[in-house]
Amino acid sequence: MRRPVPRGDRGSAIVELVWLGILLLVPLLWIVVSVFQVQGGAFAVSSAARSAGRAFALAPDDVSGQRAAEAAARQALRDQGIEGVPVDVSVTCTPYPTSCHSGTSVITVVVTSRVVLPLMPDFLGGDRPSFQLDSSHTVPIGRYREVQADVADP
């Protein structure tokens, strides 16, 4: 007669490996995806700052320059796939703080936005977690600018 062989822990290693794999792999996967999302957002905000600086510098005056800078920043973020987040565009200039489009001014555009971190359900904490990003770009206004001359037709 054969005696049954006691199994003990035989075969449980595979079960433990699967459970540990799931418990460790899911957070690691979330961290990697979040890092990629933040890096993409950093590229997008940097591009938005460059675009906003160029748009402001090419505008005829400061008021239309601010509108053009905000529109350019939003478009640059949208081109990179970032939509539905608040965007703040601030413009400062030196040495003429009253008129940024005069002579040898140097303008600095700072774009601030945020990236919503992926794969987080809303029930875990109200607002979805996000990461704030900002970037600045400095543009010199040329000494020699094109002047719109009033030319009468002959």
Side-chain angles (χ1 to χ4, degrees), residues 104-143:
T104 58
S105 287
V106 175
I107 60 171
T108 301
V109 178
V110 178
V111 175
T112 304
S113 185
R114 65 186 175 101
V115 174
V116 177
L117 298 179
L119 304 174
M120 285 298 279
D122 292 333
F123 69 84
L124 286 180
D127 292 336
R128 294 179 66 191
S130 63
F131 196 87
Q132 184 170 344
L133 301 165
D134 61 32
S135 180
S136 65
H137 185 70
T138 302
V139 179
I141 301 293
R143 181 181 301 234

Side-chain angles (χ1 to χ4, degrees), residues 25-41:
L25 188 62
V26 169
L28 182 66
L29 179 66
W30 181 79
I31 289 170
V32 169
V33 170
S34 295
V35 166
F36 287 152
Q37 189 75 19
V38 170
Q39 185 63 42

Side-chain angles (χ1 to χ4, degrees), residues 20-95:
L20 282 176
I22 290 172
L23 290 176
L24 295 175
L25 188 62
V26 169
L28 182 66
L29 179 66
W30 181 79
I31 289 170
V32 169
V33 170
S34 295
V35 166
F36 287 152
Q37 189 75 19
V38 170
Q39 185 63 42
F43 287 141
V45 171
S46 176
S47 173
R50 282 193 313 272
S51 296
R54 289 183 193 129
F56 189 89
L58 293 175
D61 58 12
D62 291 351
V63 174
S64 62
Q66 183 69 32
R67 282 194 306 262
E70 289 174 2
R74 289 186 193 285
Q75 183 62 43
L77 289 173
R78 205 171 15 254
D79 287 346
Q80 296 291 327
I82 297 179
E83 297 183 75
V85 293
V87 178
D88 181 41
V89 178
S90 66
V91 179
T92 58
C93 56
T94 56

